[in-house]
Every structure is written in C-alpha cells, then in structure tokens.
Amino acid sequence: MNGIDKSRIAEAHEPHWPTVWVWVGFLIVFFGVEAYAGWTLVHGPFWLLIPLTLLTAHLMHAHILAFHETGHSTLCRVGWVNDAIGLFIGTLSFQGLTAFRAVHQTHHHHLGSEKDEELWPFVIPTVPRWVRRLTAAYELIFGITYTPMLCVRIFFRTGSPIRDRAERRRVRYEYAVM
C-alpha cells in the first residue's frame, strides 16, 4: 500500500447527510416489507414469508448498524437529529441509546479487558467456561435481546459507569418510553 492519505480516512469517518438519507431509505423499505409480509400472512402465498423474513432480518441489521453510528454520534452532523434517530431505533429494539453509549465506550476504552462491558462475561476469567459457552449460545440464538440485556445490566449493576445524575435520569426516561 503506497502512502495512505490520512485526511481521506479521517473524512470518511465524519458524519454526512447522505448517510442519513440512506438510513431513511432503509426505513421506508423496512416498513414496506413489513406491510407486505402482513398482507401475505393474511392473503398468501405463505411461502413468500420466508424471503420476506430474511429481507426483514437484513434490514433490521442495517438499522442496528445505524444505531451503532448514532452511538458514536457519527450518523448525522446535527447532534439532535443523530440522537433522535438513535432513540427511535433504540426504542424499537428495546435498547436505550444512552446506556448503549456507556456500554460501547467501555468497549473502546478497555477492549478485551475485564472492564469491557460489551464483552461481558467473556472477558471475566473467573466465569466458568460452561457459563461463557451458554452465554455465547444465547447471544447467537436470541441476539436481539442480548445487547439490550447488557445495557440494562450496566445501568443497574454495582459500580455502574453511568454515574452522572442527568445521564441516569435520561436512561430511565428512555426505558420509560420503551
């Protein structure tokens, strides 16, 4: 690789409005596919539900990627728009944006250490292997509930990194909205 242009890499990680419009497109397609799946459920043909379910899963993954970007405040240049999108996606996936940010920040600051909340319990050496394997199976099978559970755990556990009163109030508000 000859001479990496660092400014180009940095610019690629900046928030841009086109990214928001791509997400809006995915949102419109998602609701369209959901409506068509509902219509198909009532009127048939039922075999069509299989590809529609797979397409819905793909679109849900796109929303989780957008949620991740809102957690970093990089989906949109305007902070309140970024947060509104994150709250919208998080509410529909039972995942608070503020709690997710706290979990994800520990992941970036303490990657692979015992303080990495996103990789709990895998990074705790005292946790038995069978518990870690069971947790991994749970995450693979019921993944849509696993990260929200980590977010609830970080909020309620002793020594939570979410200590600021305003931030804790916001987490409570987000869960109340859900």
Side-chain angles (χ1 to χ4, degrees), residues 124-176:
I124 311 296
T126 56
V127 172
R129 180 177 286 170
W130 70 268
V131 172
R132 286 182 274 155
R133 285 181 174 170
L134 188 64
T135 304
Y138 177 86
E139 184 177 9
L140 289 170
I141 297 168
F142 304 107
I144 198 165
T145 64
Y146 185 74
T147 303
M149 186 229 18
L150 286 178
C151 292
V152 170
R153 178 188 172 275
I154 197 173
F155 182 71
F156 287 108
R157 77 170 181 78
T158 304
S160 171
I162 306 172
R163 293 186 183 104
D164 182 62
R165 295 178 101 187
E167 195 175 359
R168 290 188 70 78
R169 186 172 33 255
R170 181 173 166 146
V171 170
R172 282 200 258 343
Y173 170 76
E174 290 173 10
Y175 282 121

Side-chain angles (χ1 to χ4, degrees), residues 6-16 19 69 74:
K6 291 182 182 179
S7 64
R8 187 172 168 206
I9 293 171
E11 195 275 332
H13 287 85
E14 291 295 318
H16 299 285
T19 311
E69 294 308 309
T74 57

Side-chain angles (χ1 to χ4, degrees), residues 11-178:
E11 195 275 332
H13 287 85
E14 291 295 318
H16 299 285
W17 277 106
T19 311
V20 175
W21 295 118
V22 168
W23 172 76
V24 169
F26 275 116
L27 183 66
I28 291 167
V29 172
F30 174 76
F31 284 128
V33 170
E34 286 288 296
Y36 189 50
W39 185 86
T40 302
L41 189 62
V42 173
H43 301 288
F46 296 111
W47 64 267
L48 198 53
L49 289 171
I50 294 169
L52 289 173
T53 300
L54 294 173
L55 181 56
T56 299
H58 174 69
L59 293 167
M60 288 173 72
H61 185 255
H63 292 303
I64 290 301
L65 292 175
F67 181 74
H68 175 264
E69 294 308 309
T70 64
H72 282 286
S73 299
T74 57
L75 185 69
C76 177
R77 286 183 184 267
V78 180
W80 70 267
V81 174
N82 190 79
D83 284 0
I85 293 170
L87 290 170
F88 174 74
I89 297 170
T91 299
L92 295 179
S93 61
F94 304 108
Q95 196 163 296
L97 178 62
T98 305
F100 173 75
R101 280 183 175 152
V103 168
H104 201 58
Q105 283 174 356
T106 68
H107 178 64
H108 283 286
H109 290 123
H110 307 287
L111 184 62
S113 76
E114 290 185 41
K115 294 181 180 179
D116 185 345
E117 299 279 347
E118 201 163 321
L119 293 181
W120 176 88
F122 307 109
V123 292
I124 311 296
T126 56
V127 172
R129 180 177 286 170
W130 70 268
V131 172
R132 286 182 274 155
R133 285 181 174 170
L134 188 64
T135 304
Y138 177 86
E139 184 177 9
L140 289 170
I141 297 168
F142 304 107
I144 198 165
T145 64
Y146 185 74
T147 303
M149 186 229 18
L150 286 178
C151 292
V152 170
R153 178 188 172 275
I154 197 173
F155 182 71
F156 287 108
R157 77 170 181 78
T158 304
S160 171
I162 306 172
R163 293 186 183 104
D164 182 62
R165 295 178 101 187
E167 195 175 359
R168 290 188 70 78
R169 186 172 33 255
R170 181 173 166 146
V171 170
R172 282 200 258 343
Y173 170 76
E174 290 173 10
Y175 282 121
V177 168
M178 284 181 232

